């Protein structure tokens, strides 16, 4: 009992740092979720390009980022760029690296959703005289975004979890603060269990929100 | 000689009686047709007979053995009852040949060579030997049915059950089914066939068991049932099915 | 030091990368299969446990589970070797995702075929091994490839618990040469190569066992 109390006490003592770590985690996860979605839409648009070279290089981009570990990209920028005199903050590097990576995945979700939509509508829109740009923003995007909600929100949950690797490039997030805590009190098991529970809670909130979004924006059959 | 004797068979589903005391018998080499309006319990009857669905009460004596008893090894019994399903239910990941071989390999423990030989023989009996390497997705409905029949026959069953053999086929193929069943009958295969198809029933030699509300209401050759029968349910059924005749 | 020399030094770690990836894939495959099959038994308390397993392992970051296992378990007298720690974290995470893939695929097996197998006199276990699992594995192929790729991509974190795989070699090389740019570029290329080879092998197996016209209905 007193042991549990001491553990709680430690956490409370260390509260401000843990809280700032948690805020950093949320800032990073939130930022990359937004930039990753926007970049994902851009990549998806490029996969629909009329230009074959653009389509092929987009496909290579997606395949490369799906086949290569994100941490390598982060290390490349964190340890490699200073060689050329470029020094980005850990946060900037994380945002760039995550965005490039998440965009590849999001564009895949959007492509899958696009393949499911009725192609006759697109023909109808062309026949009506809409430009391909208008067709994309007025017809394709609204439908694919809605259909891709499960994949896109799942990606947000992944972003929260994956943001924890940013501590490896010295971004002081929630996980970094909890490790600090563990190294102070040596209660590794408890500290990591609490850490896991907090991430689980955050992910659960995203899943909950995702279900709400899905019903709210369902396309009527 | 009686092969299958059913007495007082009932089946309740959520307290609603689907079968309400069915009695009939089937002799070796006989072909018997089960007909009746939809919802009369035809398919349930067939599935109760090999306990794919558990009967609520009654006796089923198959080849001298009471098979509803708890001690019965129902898997052994089922191996001697061939079942050809309405939608044929071929295993989609296996070729026609492997569909037929599966029971011999897994249930009879035959060697691959022996199973292959027997399976090819059964496939040729239903004129499917040229399609043995095709997968179900690439076979027409009629072809799938023939493979399903070969799959049942290869186990040397004492009886063959057919559940609505014409309903999943186009009309042209449906006509073929009567020929196929007649040929099997000539080869002394015992058959119990559930159908709603009057044309099929008219082209088969056996008696019709008329089932209504889970009871046998008449048992006679179809020609008699269609001739202004005493039972008004029978009359109503055939008038609706073949009003012109 | 040329780019090729860098690659050849890093390639020494490739063996461990492949070892970690394969060990975690196998753990994931079998734990996912077991979870999906246990789910089929439809026993209430067991289902809750399985749900809890998939939910937790899908909701917690790999590094948290890895550190919990590797640094946490020794504190209660359970020292865990690095490779085993990877299997218990990354491997089981893969299993949690795969169990969902497998469950969905099992549900896609046509119930009529199962009834046909039952009516033939096949026992539950025979139906499972002869009909359900062969079909389920084929339905699951795209999902499996996804999860296996994920395992490869998370395998570098094995360096955090001291497995001398590619990223570990890279960090020590980067420390001594200070040529992070070329080194991590080479690391990226190496991983991409392994990914390509792994995918080709998987697709080869998939084609080898492909069945004409067989798809989910």
């Amino acid at each position: 009992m007193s042991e549990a109390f001491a553990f709680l006490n430690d956490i409370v003592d260390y509260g401000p740092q843990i809280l700032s770590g948690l805020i950093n985690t949320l800032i990073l996860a939130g930022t990359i979720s937004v930039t990753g979605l926007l970049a994902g839409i851009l990549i998806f648009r490029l996969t629909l390009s009329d230009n074959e070279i653009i389509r092929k290089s987009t496909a290579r981009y997606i395949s490369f980022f799906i086949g290569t570990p994100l941490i390598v990209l982060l290390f490349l920028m964190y340890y490699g760029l200073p060689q050329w005199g470029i020094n980005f903050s850990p946060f900037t590097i994380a945002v760039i690296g995550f965005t490039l990576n998440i965009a590849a995945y999001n564009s895949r979700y959007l492509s899958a959703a696009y393949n499911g939509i009725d192609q006759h509508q697109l023909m109808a829109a062309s026949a009506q005289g809409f430009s391909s740009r208008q067709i994309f923003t007025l017809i394709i995007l609204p439908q694919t975004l809605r259909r891709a909600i499960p994949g896109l929100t799942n990606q947000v949950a992944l972003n929260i979890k994956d943001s924890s690797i940013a501590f490896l490039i010295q971004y002081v997030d929630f996980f970094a603060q909890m490790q600090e805590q563990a190294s102070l009190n040596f209660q590794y098991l408890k500290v990591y269990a609490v850490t896991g529970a907090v991430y689980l809670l955050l992910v659960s909130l995203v899943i909950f929100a995702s279900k709400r979004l899905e019903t709210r924006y369902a396309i009527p059959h | 000689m009686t092969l299958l004797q059913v007495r007082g068979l009932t089946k309740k589903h959520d307290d609603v009686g689907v079968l309400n005391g069915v009695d009939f018998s089937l002799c070796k080499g006989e072909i018997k047709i089960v007909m009746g309006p939809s919802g009369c319990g035809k398919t349930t009857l067939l599935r109760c007979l090999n306990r794919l669905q558990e009967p609520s009460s009654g006796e089923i004596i198959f080849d001298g053995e009471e098979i509803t008893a708890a001690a019965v090894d129902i898997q052994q019994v089922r191996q001697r009852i061939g079942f050809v399903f309405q939608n044929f239910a071929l295993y989609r990941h296996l070729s026609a040949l492997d569909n037929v071989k599966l029971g011999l390999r897994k249930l009879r423990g035959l060697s691959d060579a022996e199973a292959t030989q027997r399976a090819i023989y059964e496939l040729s009996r239903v004129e499917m030997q040229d399609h043995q390497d095709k997968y179900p997705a690439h076979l027409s409905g009629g072809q799938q049915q023939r493979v399903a029949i070969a799959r049942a026959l290869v186990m040397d069953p004492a009886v063959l059950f057919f559940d609505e053999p014409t309903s999943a086929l186009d009309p042209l193929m449906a006509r073929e089914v009567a020929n196929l069943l007649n040929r099997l009958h000539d080869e002394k295969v015992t058959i119990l066939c559930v159908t709603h198809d009057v044309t099929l029933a008219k082209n088969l030699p056996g008696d019709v068991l008329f089932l209504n509300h889970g009871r046998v209401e008449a048992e006679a050759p179809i020609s008699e049932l269609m001739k202004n029968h005493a039972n008004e349910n029978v009359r109503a059924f055939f008038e609706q099915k073949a009003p012109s005749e | 030091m040329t780019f090729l020399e860098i690659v050849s030094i890093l390639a020494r770690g490739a063996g461990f990368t492949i070892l970690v990836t394969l060990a975690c894939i196998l753990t994931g495959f079998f734990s996912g299969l077991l979870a999906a099959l246990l789910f089929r038994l439809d026993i209430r308390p067991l289902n809750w446990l399985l749900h809890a397993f998939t939910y937790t392992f899908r909701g917690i970051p790999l590094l948290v589970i890895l550190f919990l296992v590797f640094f946490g378990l020794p504190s209660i007298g359970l020292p865990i070797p690095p490779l085993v720690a990877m299997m218990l974290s990354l491997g089981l995470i893969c299993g949690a995702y795969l169990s969902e893939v497998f469950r969905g695929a099992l549900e896609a097996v046509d119930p009529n075929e199962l009834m046909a197998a039952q009516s033939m006199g096949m026992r539950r276990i025979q139906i499972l091994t002869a009909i359900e699992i062969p079909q389920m594995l084929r339905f699951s192929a795209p999902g499996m490839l996804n999860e296996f790729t994920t395992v490869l991509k998370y395998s570098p974190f094995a360096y955090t618990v001291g497995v001398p795989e590619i990223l570990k070699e890279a960090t020590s090389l980067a420390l001594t040469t200070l040529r992070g740019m070329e080194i991590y570029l080479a690391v990226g290329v190496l991983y991409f190569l392994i990914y390509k080879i792994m995918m080709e092998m998987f697709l080869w197996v998939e084609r080898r066992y492909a069945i004409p016209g067989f798809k989910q209905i």
Side-chain angles (χ1 to χ4, degrees):
Chain A
M1 192 60 215
S2 66
E3 198 189 317
F5 184 76
F7 177 70
L8 267 177
N9 213 24
D10 279 353
I11 289 194
V12 173
D13 280 351
Y14 210 69
Q17 283 96 320
I18 293 176
L19 196 65
S20 83
L22 190 60
I23 289 169
N24 280 348
T25 288
L26 293 175
I27 289 174
L28 180 59
T31 309
I32 60 180
S33 291
V34 173
T35 54
L37 178 62
L38 295 177
I41 292 171
L42 177 71
I43 299 293
F44 166 59
R45 177 72 184 88
L46 294 177
T47 62
L48 300 177
S49 163
D50 295 326
N51 185 326
E52 207 192 321
I53 298 169
I54 294 182
R55 279 205 313 274
K56 278 203 171 145
S57 11
T58 313
R60 286 222 183 88
Y61 170 90
I62 295 170
S63 156
F64 185 77
F65 280 95
I66 282 177
T68 328
L70 172 60
I71 187 65
V72 177
L73 182 64
L74 297 183
F75 277 12
L76 178 81
M77 288 190 280
Y78 190 71
Y79 295 111
L81 286 180
Q83 231 173 288
W84 296 345
I86 306 170
N87 286 296
F88 284 143
S89 71
F91 179 75
T92 310
I93 289 174
V95 169
I96 297 171
F98 270 104
T99 303
L100 291 171
N101 187 67
I102 295 166
Y105 279 93
N106 278 344
S107 84
R108 270 221 312 200
Y109 294 129
L110 291 169
S111 293
Y114 172 75
N115 290 334
I117 69 174
D118 179 12
Q119 302 290 321
H120 291 105
Q121 307 172 49
L122 308 183
M123 231 184 286
S126 297
Q128 253 189 306
F130 286 110
S131 70
S132 64
R133 193 197 164 127
Q134 285 171 316
I135 293 174
F136 182 77
T137 51
L138 298 174
I139 319 277
I140 296 177
L141 200 54
Q143 291 194 38
T144 46
L145 276 176
R146 285 178 179 205
R147 283 173 169 270
I149 286 175
L152 296 173
T153 49
N154 178 46
Q155 186 62 46
V156 174
L158 281 175
N159 296 345
I160 292 176
K161 288 192 293 167
D162 285 350
S163 70
S164 64
I165 71 173
F167 92 87
L168 291 169
I169 54 165
Q170 324 318 323
Y171 181 68
V172 189
D173 71 341
F174 174 64
F175 188 34
Q177 294 289 7
M178 290 307 272
Q179 286 179 73
E180 186 69 25
Q181 168 81 4
S183 66
L184 289 176
N185 65 11
F186 300 108
Q187 305 257 28
Y188 292 102
L189 198 65
K190 278 184 198 157
V191 170
Y192 289 132
V194 170
T195 312
V198 170
Y199 277 106
L200 200 57
L201 183 71
L202 294 177
V203 167
S204 301
L205 290 176
V206 172
I207 293 172
F208 178 74
S210 156
K211 293 269 184 316
R212 294 289 295 268
L213 269 180
E214 246 179 278
T215 36
R216 171 88 173 68
Y217 289 107
I219 298 174
H221 291 289
Chain B
M1 189 187 156
T2 308
L3 176 71
L4 184 65
Q5 177 83 51
V6 177
R7 287 197 204 107
L9 190 70
T10 72
K11 170 70 180 172
K12 281 196 171 55
H13 204 275
D14 295 336
D15 279 342
V16 181
V18 185
L19 299 176
N20 300 304
V22 172
D23 301 271
F24 77 95
S25 63
L26 182 69
C27 291
K28 268 192 183 138
E30 192 187 355
I31 181 164
K32 190 159 274 180
I33 305 138
V34 182
M35 296 190 89
S38 52
C40 71
K42 297 181 297 239
T43 296
T44 305
L45 171 65
L46 218 49
R47 289 181 184 175
C48 279
L49 291 181
N50 72 350
R51 286 173 59 195
L52 282 179
Q53 291 180 17
E54 280 302 330
S56 304
S57 70
E59 281 181 359
I60 303 168
I61 297 153
F62 173 65
D63 215 1
E65 185 186 14
E66 158 57 29
I67 61 163
T68 56
V72 167
D73 182 355
I74 193 64
Q75 266 87 15
Q76 287 297 328
V77 175
R78 284 179 183 156
Q79 289 183 32
R80 290 187 290 138
I81 299 176
F83 208 126
V84 180
F85 286 86
Q86 188 171 2
N87 43 34
F88 324 126
L90 293 184
Y91 307 127
R92 289 180 297 153
H93 65 301
L94 299 177
S95 67
L97 181 65
D98 287 336
N99 259 280
V100 182
K101 276 167 66 178
L102 187 72
L104 296 176
R105 298 278 288 138
K106 299 278 169 188
L107 299 170
R108 294 281 151 81
L110 258 56
S111 73
D112 189 59
E114 207 175 337
T116 306
Q117 195 191 352
R118 289 194 39 194
I120 290 175
Y121 169 73
E122 289 302 336
L123 282 168
S124 66
R125 256 175 96 184
V126 290
E127 287 156 5
M128 282 298 294
Q129 68 277 30
D130 296 339
H131 302 283
Q132 63 177 48
D133 292 326
K134 286 192 185 162
Y135 285 88
H138 291 166
L139 295 172
S140 72
Q143 291 171 330
Q144 289 188 40
Q145 186 175 53
R146 282 159 186 266
V147 175
I149 292 171
R151 181 173 75 179
L153 283 176
V154 82
M155 302 295 282
D156 279 325
V159 59
L160 212 50
F161 289 177
F162 282 88
D163 189 9
E164 301 280 9
T166 56
S167 72
L169 300 176
D170 59 58
L172 217 61
M173 285 307 302
R175 247 181 269 166
E176 282 290 305
V177 174
N179 295 338
L180 198 60
L181 262 64
N182 273 307
R183 228 176 60 211
L184 293 171
H185 179 62
D186 292 343
E187 292 171 21
K188 305 277 180 277
V189 178
T190 314
I191 293 173
L192 186 64
C193 174
V194 161
T195 186
H196 67 277
D197 183 341
V198 176
T199 318
L200 173 67
K202 283 203 290 196
N203 287 309
L204 295 176
D207 280 359
V208 170
L209 211 62
F210 184 81
L211 208 62
N212 195 30
H213 296 305
R215 272 191 199 86
V216 177
E217 294 203 343
E219 186 173 353
I222 188 157
S223 53
E224 277 178 36
L225 292 181
M226 293 183 75
K227 248 186 292 162
N228 209 7
H229 197 264
N231 183 313
E232 64 175 304
N233 294 326
V234 174
R235 275 204 314 276
F237 177 77
F238 285 103
E239 264 162 33
Q240 191 211 340
K241 282 286 176 191
S244 60
E245 289 171 73
Chain C
M1 194 185 277
T2 66
F3 189 69
L4 252 130
E5 281 170 324
I6 293 175
V7 173
S8 70
I9 290 172
L10 294 177
R12 279 189 237 146
F16 278 98
T17 290
I18 292 166
L19 175 71
V20 168
T21 305
L22 280 183
C24 291
I25 282 177
L26 288 177
T27 312
F29 181 83
F30 287 108
S31 60
L33 190 62
L34 184 69
L37 293 181
L38 287 178
F39 213 92
R40 277 240 121 171
L41 296 178
D42 209 19
I43 303 167
R44 266 283 175 79
L46 188 62
N47 281 4
W48 290 335
L49 273 176
L50 292 168
H51 270 307
F53 161 68
T54 50
Y55 199 79
T56 354
F57 276 80
R58 292 170 60 187
I60 300 179
L62 164 66
L63 285 175
V64 177
I65 302 178
L66 178 63
F67 285 12
L68 181 92
V69 170
F70 190 74
F71 299 112
L73 291 185
S75 69
I76 52 164
L78 274 174
I80 306 283
L83 185 65
V84 179
M86 284 305 286
M87 290 161 74
L88 291 178
S89 52
L90 184 53
L92 290 181
I93 290 174
C94 173
Y97 279 97
L98 275 183
S99 80
E100 303 281 302
V101 171
F102 289 156
R103 265 176 58 199
L106 274 175
E107 267 165 34
V109 177
D110 180 7
N112 289 309
E113 290 171 47
L114 303 183
M115 204 200 292
Q118 219 185 331
S119 82
M120 262 170 98
M122 288 171 80
R123 282 164 211 287
R124 195 73 199 82
I125 188 81
Q126 288 174 318
I127 298 175
L128 197 65
T129 55
I131 316 286
E132 289 182 278
I133 292 180
Q135 294 204 9
M136 180 272 273
L137 289 178
R138 289 180 171 93
F139 289 143
S140 307
M144 278 196 277
L145 181 58
N146 256 336
E147 295 316 323
F148 294 169
T149 306
T150 306
V151 169
L152 172 67
K153 288 183 49 174
Y154 283 86
S155 71
F157 296 113
Y159 98 90
T160 59
V161 292
V163 177
E165 48 69 74
I166 298 176
L167 198 63
K168 175 86 179 166
E169 299 285 345
T171 45
S172 24
L173 199 61
L175 268 179
T176 50
T177 62
L178 297 175
R179 289 172 65 183
M181 205 68 198
E182 296 95 316
I183 291 167
Y184 290 110
L185 208 59
V187 173
V189 170
L190 259 177
Y191 272 106
F192 191 66
L193 272 178
I194 298 174
Y195 161 68
K196 278 287 180 195
I197 294 168
M198 192 175 98
M199 190 165 79
E200 283 310 318
M201 280 167 58
F202 186 91
L203 294 178
W204 182 82
V205 174
E206 195 193 354
R207 272 195 301 273
R208 166 86 180 64
Y209 289 99
I211 284 159
F214 181 71
K215 53 181 178 291
Q216 223 156 312
I217 48 170

